[in-house]
């Protein structure tokens, strides 16, 4: 094995800015998951708005089940794992590339929170 390949994860996890971005990613993924689970646990009913399609006119809101809203939790976990893995691999190439990937993960998790909140408010 290459000595540089073993040193990269050590450098990656010792980089304070990378750790800050990873912590923000983990916090947002957990916050999104808890928020969705709490909102689904406190609301009573079976019909949830899961899609909004403005091109459909009067039937723009599409109803769905709780399982479709649980997909937001799965999506947050997938984003967290994928961005961390890609960022770790990209750190070998360039540090700023890894930082950019983590920042885009934060943006994606924020958009997940905003969209899931908008759909859960429509319930």
């Amino acid at each position: 094995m290459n000595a540089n390949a073993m040193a990269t994860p050590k450098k990656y996890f010792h980089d304070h800015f990378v750790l800050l971005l990873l912590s923000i990613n983990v916090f947002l993924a957990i916050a999104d998951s808890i928020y969705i689970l709490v909102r689904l646990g406190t609301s009573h009913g079976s019909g949830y708005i899961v899609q909004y399609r403005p091109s459909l006119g009067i039937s723009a809101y599409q109803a769905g089940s709780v399982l479709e809203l649980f997909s937001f939790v799965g999506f947050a976990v997938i984003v967290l794992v994928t961005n961390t893995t890609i960022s770790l691999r990209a750190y070998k190439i360039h540090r700023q590339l890894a930082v950019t990937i983590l920042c885009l993960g934060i943006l994606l998790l924020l958009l997940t929170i905003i969209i899931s909140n908008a759909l859960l408010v429509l319930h």
Side-chain angles (χ1 to χ4, degrees), residues 75-115:
F75 180 73
V77 170
I78 289 171
V79 167
L80 176 65
V81 170
T82 304
N83 279 335
T84 303
T85 305
I86 293 173
S87 173
L88 179 60
R89 291 182 181 192
Y91 195 82
K92 292 182 245 185
I93 299 169
H94 201 280
R95 179 184 178 269
Q96 293 303 319
L97 179 60
V99 168
T100 303
I101 291 168
L102 290 173
C103 288
L104 289 174
I106 291 171
L107 176 66
L108 196 54
L109 288 170
L110 284 173
L111 288 173
T112 304
I113 292 171
I114 292 168
I115 292 169

Side-chain angles (χ1 to χ4, degrees), residues 14-42:
H14 285 191
D15 191 335
H16 293 291
F17 191 61
V18 168
L19 283 179
L20 173 69
L21 293 175
L22 276 173
S23 299
I24 293 171
N25 271 303
V26 169
F27 173 77
L28 288 175
I30 291 172
D32 183 35
S33 301
I34 290 173
Y35 176 75
I36 291 171
L37 294 175
V38 167
R39 287 289 300 245
L40 289 177
T42 58

